[in-house]
Amino acid sequence: MLTGKKILIGITGSIAAYKIILLVRLLVKQGAEVRLILTPAARDFVSPLTLSTLSKNPVISDLFNESSWSNHVMLGRWADVLLVAPLSCNTLAKMANGHCDNMLLATYLSATCPVCVAPAMDEDMWHHPTTKLNLDKLSSFGNKVIPVEKGELASGLFGDGRMAEPETIIQFIIDNFFLTRDLEGKKALVTAGPTFEPIDPVRFIGNHSSGKMGAALCEELAKRGASVDLVMGPSPIQFDSPNINVRRVQTAEEMYNQCVQLFPTADVTIMSAAVADYTPIKKAEEKIKKVEDQFSIELTKTKDILKSLGEKKHNGQLLVGFALETRNEREYALQKLTKKNADLIVLNSLNDEGAGFGYDTNKITIFEKNGTELSYERKPKQQVARDIVDRIVKMLYA
Ligand code: CTP
């Protein structure tokens, strides 16, 4: 998504400048072309040598040096986006009031590309009315403000004002400037979360699924223009996108019924729920009392939703399943691809650190029905969702 994108970063004098080193590395890794401007105060916090080595471009900090003039106008025209990060109170005030006493400010004033800023300051400065006024001014110029985070601050205090993490900044840039609405007009159906199979009025058979992966997929599909129906098992996750229509269910049977109803009009269906494979044959009407020394519950198989939809699939519909395995991962994933008539299976192994239930990250391998096999490194679930949707889009329009 960032391949070939030109990102100009202005660094100002703030302790958070150290995070820009990682930001540059991540951007370059994702194929972006990065150039950097340092304000004089920023040089006390990060070294131009580190930044020029990582970005593979000279770092600019002066409007003039002994023999030449740096062309701020062309820099602002070169960039697809100008990001000022970290944005200090001082540079914020200067940007809001049209000051032009360094290279970054001259570039800002002449930039024709979109601008976003990632403020970083102590909590009291963050909450000062002048800061709010200046940020409102920047917003009124059309500049985008990346929200600050709550956490430990340079002063040692805890509160609002921390600069967003590099991964969050990248996500913000993609969402605001580089998102292609390649699923505009498409309908998607997603399942997520666990299912709870009742034993009696107080007990159930469930699993550790958090629903985070499915939620990230819904957000990504919606951002790219799809209208999403989400059938979600018990999970506290809430959604505020108007393009995500959530139907809450408890059991595998309820999830099946909703999916069968919604599937005929879905262009893309992703089954990321951890559906119970077995459910109690009988649900006790009253709470089961602790009487017997040994106690067993008779279970029966639930309907396999993915397999049923695979049998109903018609031309042009794309069906994606997940496989969560603890051994013979590749073999089982490939079996699921054919047995369930899916177009794509996303494998995550519980043997991989940071993958699976509850984590904010995942590590996946994608198996496509044309034989393509793609392994990805461990990433935040939002980025994993993007990788999966990229493959879906590719297959959909192939
Ligand atoms: N799935 C489903 N309905 C079920 C069970 C699973 O739709 N009753 C879907 C899951 O949402 C997932 C895929 O099937 O997309 C694979 O689920 P998984 O639990 O890994 O495999 P199972 O088919 O249940 O087989 P096994 O438990 O033997 O691995």
Side-chain angles (χ1 to χ4, degrees), residues 191 252 255 270-277 302-307 320-325 332 336 340 345:
T191 65
M255 191 172 272
I270 309 177
M271 305 268 101
S272 68
V275 189
D277 289 330
T302 55
K303 288 181 190 134
D304 189 321
I305 309 170
L306 178 59
K307 190 158 179 280
V320 178
F322 270 69
L324 178 64
E325 307 292 348
Y332 287 147
K336 282 174 189 167
K340 304 198 186 203
I345 288 283

Side-chain angles (χ1 to χ4, degrees), residues 74-380:
M74 288 335 276
L75 260 181
R77 291 195 171 209
W78 167 86
D80 293 318
V81 174
L82 165 61
L83 162 73
V84 183
L87 173 67
S88 65
C89 260
N90 187 35
T91 299
L92 166 63
K94 288 180 174 180
M95 284 167 74
N97 291 290
H99 290 220
C100 187
D101 63 0
N102 64 40
M103 180 65 186
L104 174 57
L105 293 164
T107 308
Y108 169 68
L109 287 170
S110 52
T112 51
C113 63
V115 177
C116 64
V117 297
M121 53 199 80
D122 242 302
E123 190 174 32
D124 298 337
M125 295 166 90
W126 175 249
H127 287 303
H128 195 282
T130 315
T131 306
K132 168 132 190 20
L133 218 63
N134 286 336
L135 281 170
D136 286 349
K137 254 186 165 181
L138 256 53
S139 299
S140 75
F141 303 156
N143 303 163
K144 301 253 184 233
V145 181
I146 305 176
V148 294
E149 295 177 0
K150 206 186 217 27
E152 201 182 320
L153 302 163
S155 59
L157 297 173
F158 185 92
D160 293 325
R162 266 172 78 92
M163 187 182 78
E165 292 302 317
E167 289 84 357
T168 313
I169 293 179
I170 293 179
Q171 190 66 45
F172 186 96
I173 290 176
I174 291 172
D175 289 353
N176 284 277
F177 307 115
F178 300 130
L179 210 61
T180 41
R181 290 183 63 87
D182 41 17
L183 288 172
E184 193 77 66
K186 298 285 180 199
K187 277 196 84 172
L189 166 61
V190 179
T191 65
T195 62
F196 286 178
E197 308 301 320
I199 298 170
D200 69 12
V202 291
R203 304 178 181 95
F204 59 84
I205 299 173
N207 59 65
H208 294 297
S209 170
S210 61
K212 285 180 185 170
M213 191 64 244
L217 281 162
C218 291
E219 301 283 0
E220 180 68 20
L221 290 161
K223 273 192 287 195
R224 290 163 79 151
S227 141
V228 184
D229 282 315
L230 166 65
V231 183
M232 186 165 223
S235 161
I237 302 177
Q238 298 294 323
F239 300 84
D240 51 21
S241 162
N243 288 343
I244 305 174
N245 166 37
V246 191
R247 296 187 179 196
R248 307 259 174 195
V249 296
Q250 292 282 321
T251 64
E253 181 72 20
E254 287 168 13
M255 191 172 272
Y256 172 84
N257 289 336
Q258 291 291 337
C259 288
V260 168
Q261 214 186 87
L262 294 163
F263 182 66
T265 56
D267 300 293
V268 174
T269 300
I270 309 177
M271 305 268 101
S272 68
V275 189
D277 289 330
Y278 292 93
T279 188
I281 290 181
K282 271 192 265 167
K283 176 192 160 195
E285 290 300 321
E286 304 295 338
K287 184 185 168 196
I288 299 169
K289 299 303 285 179
K290 184 175 53 185
V291 180
E292 313 291 339
D293 280 347
Q294 294 202 342
F295 175 74
S296 45
I297 304 168
E298 223 181 326
L299 303 174
T300 183
K301 249 191 191 167
T302 55
K303 288 181 190 134
D304 189 321
I305 309 170
L306 178 59
K307 190 158 179 280
S308 310
L309 301 187
E311 285 158 7
K312 295 178 178 39
K313 192 170 68 169
H314 58 74
N315 274 353
Q317 281 189 306
L318 205 123
L319 187 57
V320 178
F322 270 69
L324 178 64
E325 307 292 348
T326 55
R327 66 192 167 97
N328 301 337
E329 290 93 339
R330 186 173 181 277
E331 186 191 330
Y332 287 147
L334 286 169
Q335 273 176 17
K336 282 174 189 167
L337 191 64
T338 41
K339 262 200 211 156
K340 304 198 186 203
N341 195 26
D343 298 286
L344 190 155
I345 288 283
V346 181
L347 165 73
N348 34 157
S349 165
L350 279 188
N351 295 322
D352 287 323
E353 201 188 312
F357 292 152
Y359 287 101
D360 290 326
T361 54
N362 205 354
K363 185 175 181 323
I364 60 159
T365 305
I366 289 180
F367 297 89
E368 295 175 1
K369 72 168 179 216
N370 61 8
T372 307
E373 202 175 309
L374 297 160
S375 286
Y376 297 81
E377 51 191 70
R378 181 160 58 99
K379 297 177 181 186

